[in-house]
């Protein structure tokens, strides 16, 4: 039963995060929008077309309104997210690590979408995740926040160094993300 609940929640979460990743870099409003719209023609989507995975299969990967081919990334994300969340639950139960990894996973999902569609890593999203995580660490234990701040400083030195000296293959978006991950994880 718990796996069923986790699957449903992670499907809803993953498709919401996909929408964030698709819309935020274009500064399209998405939070206050009650109904969802087609990415191509802007027509309101029917409820049946909003079901994750199911609608993709029913419509054979095309939009119901204007028959454009839908991006496979919806399907891939919606299949992989529940698998990943269930594995996390199997390994960690409902310990703190479970929530931390879901938190990091949600960030990576948004960035994956905005990166493959627009080659863009939005600073505000990174900042919001940083502030949320820093507040959580500070709330739990101030020394924990300090320890993660040291890691952040170390991350800045190492990855800015790599960026300046190695350069090849790294965009600055990658560097920002790697530095932030130094802050999130245990040393
Ligand atoms: Zn359409």
């Amino acid at each position: 039963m718990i796996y069923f609940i986790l699957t449903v929640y992670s499907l809803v979460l993953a498709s919401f995060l996909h929408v964030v990743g698709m819309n935020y870099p274009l500064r399209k409003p998405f939070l206050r929008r009650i109904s969802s719209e087609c990415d191509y023609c802007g027509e309101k989507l029917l409820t049946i077309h909003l079901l994750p995975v199911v609608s993709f299969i029913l419509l054979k990967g095309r939009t119901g309104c204007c028959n454009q081919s839908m991006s496979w990334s919806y399907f891939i994300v919606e299949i992989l997210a529940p698998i990943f969340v269930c594995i996390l639950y199997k390994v960690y139960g409902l310990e703190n690590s479970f929530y931390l990894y879901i938190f990091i996973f949600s960030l990576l999902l948004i960035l994956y979408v905005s990166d493959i569609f627009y080659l863009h890593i939005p600073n505000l999203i990174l900042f919001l995740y940083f502030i949320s995580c820093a507040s959580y660490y500070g709330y739990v234990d101030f020394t924990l926040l300090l320890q993660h701040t040291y890691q952040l400083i170390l991350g800045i030195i190492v990855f800015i160094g790599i960026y300046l000296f190695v350069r090849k293959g790294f965009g600055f978006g990658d560097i920002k993300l790697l530095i932030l991950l130094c802050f999130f994880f245990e040393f």
Side-chain angles (χ1 to χ4, degrees), residues 10-160:
S10 50
L11 273 175
V12 173
L13 179 72
S15 54
F16 171 71
L17 296 169
H18 200 291
V19 170
V20 175
M22 287 289 282
N23 289 274
Y24 178 75
L26 301 177
R27 301 293 186 271
K28 273 202 216 165
F30 54 89
L31 283 176
R32 274 181 288 168
R33 215 165 66 192
I34 297 165
S35 56
S36 294
E37 296 162 357
C38 169
D39 287 336
Y40 298 98
C41 66
E43 193 161 311
K44 277 187 186 164
L45 297 181
L46 304 173
T47 316
I48 182 83
H49 296 158
L50 292 174
L51 297 173
V53 182
V54 177
S55 64
F56 194 94
I57 295 170
L58 280 180
L59 296 168
K60 300 193 180 88
R62 308 193 76 83
T63 58
C65 38
C66 51
N67 202 33
Q68 298 277 348
S69 79
M70 272 195 264
S71 165
W72 273 88
S73 87
Y74 283 105
F75 189 67
I76 293 166
V77 162
E78 287 163 1
I79 290 282
L80 290 183
I83 295 174
F84 179 72
V85 171
C86 289
I87 291 173
L88 273 186
Y89 175 75
K90 178 103 181 113
V91 176
Y92 297 105
L94 292 176
E95 286 170 28
N96 286 347
S97 305
F98 174 78
Y99 298 105
L100 177 69
Y101 291 138
I102 297 268
F103 175 79
I104 296 171
F105 171 68
S106 69
L107 170 67
L108 293 179
L109 207 163
I110 296 175
L111 298 184
Y112 152 76
V113 175
S114 71
D115 199 16
I116 58 163
F117 283 95
Y118 313 110
L119 292 175
H120 178 60
I121 302 284
N123 284 331
L124 184 66
I125 300 276
L126 295 178
F127 181 71
L128 287 178
Y129 271 78
F130 170 70
I131 289 293
S132 320
C133 194
S135 318
Y136 170 73
Y137 285 146
Y139 170 76
V140 172
D141 182 358
F142 191 70
T143 50
L144 190 67
L145 177 61
L146 268 184
Q147 187 206 323
H148 285 265
T149 307
Y150 291 139
Q151 289 174 206
L152 178 72
I153 295 168
L154 200 66
I156 291 173
I157 295 169
V158 170
F159 288 112
I160 295 281

